[in-house]
Amino acid sequence: MDGMAKTSTTTQGLRAAIERSGYYPALVAEAVEAAVGGEPIRSYLVHQETTFDQNEVRRHVTVLVLTGNRFIVSHTDEQAADTTSPTPYATTSTESVKLGRISSVVVSRVVANPEQYQPGTLPREVVLTIGWGAVSRIDLEPAACGDPNCEADHGYTGSSTADDLSLRVSEARGRPGHRAPGARLRPGHLRGHSGRHPL
């Protein structure tokens, strides 16, 4: 990561954020460095979450990086030993998307006690959904007409939604059997670290 640290202050901040997450920082940083190459980094987000899977606790880290031309998504997961590996292992994947391919950005905010909301108050939860056409979700349901006594088959109706990336950031701690949030909300833009340290 020495090469990354020399490009800009933002890049130094990204490196520090990955290290603070405590989640295989050398592995995560190397994957991100390879994907970014020599491009200056404009902003970033490091997000760690924990998944409770029966008797196992697994961690996942997502790193989002915005350069002048690309949006880079990196995921790293840890896996327990299984039939393919006698020892625990981690998998890391990166995807690079040209900014012109991004077709939608949806930010959903959950605010507690909306009647008391004051401008600038951080929401209880934020879900960021970004689509660029690689993955779509189709939701279908039986179609119906306005006649409550009609028993005819009207087929199905539904919608297709771009769903390449969906990232949830919440102030609440997760419960067993649920995805634990990886962050507490903090002021600022995309730039910053949002992951908790390992359990």
Side-chain angles (χ1 to χ4, degrees):
M1 288 294 292
D2 288 343
M4 287 189 69
K6 295 176 182 176
T7 57
S8 70
T9 303
T10 300
T11 304
Q12 293 172 357
L14 172 59
R15 178 185 179 186
I18 292 173
E19 291 176 351
R20 280 197 306 271
S21 76
Y23 182 88
Y24 308 124
L27 175 65
V28 174
E30 183 179 59
V32 173
E33 177 187 20
V36 171
E39 290 188 60
I41 295 174
R42 292 190 172 182
S43 60
Y44 60 86
L45 175 72
V46 179
H47 179 270
Q48 182 181 311
E49 63 182 343
T50 303
T51 302
F52 298 92
D53 184 8
Q54 296 181 352
N55 296 326
E56 295 181 350
V57 178
R58 295 182 181 176
R59 294 171 296 164
H60 173 91
V61 67
T62 301
V63 180
L64 308 180
V65 178
L66 184 66
T67 72
N69 302 307
R70 296 183 297 150
F71 176 61
I72 297 167
V73 182
S74 175
H75 295 287
T76 302
D77 289 280
E78 61 182 357
Q79 305 291 338
D82 54 27
T83 56
T84 66
S85 174
T87 60
Y89 61 97
T91 58
T92 299
S93 64
T94 57
E95 183 171 5
S96 177
V97 183
K98 290 184 178 180
L99 294 182
R101 285 185 54 199
I102 295 178
S103 56
S104 66
V105 177
V106 180
V107 179
S108 300
R109 304 166 72 227
V110 177
V111 177
N113 301 314
E115 71 282 357
Q116 301 174 8
Y117 178 77
Q118 296 292 327
T121 303
L122 292 178
R124 186 177 67 189
E125 178 178 312
V126 172
V127 178
L128 172 67
T129 304
I130 301 175
W132 53 87
V135 179
S136 295
R137 181 180 72 250
I138 299 177
D139 296 318
L140 295 175
E141 61 182 18
C145 65
D147 184 355
N149 298 318
C150 180
E151 297 181 358
D153 184 354
H154 296 283
Y156 290 86
T157 183
S159 61
S160 176
T161 307
D163 195 19
D164 295 287
L165 173 71
S166 185
L167 189 68
R168 172 179 174 262
V169 181
S170 173
E171 67 176 4
R173 291 184 179 272
R175 301 182 303 278
H178 294 76
R179 273 191 171 286
R184 286 190 176 275
L185 298 176
R186 297 183 181 181
H189 302 289
L190 183 63
R191 179 179 298 114
H193 167 261
S194 69
R196 287 199 182 101
H197 288 279
L199 295 175

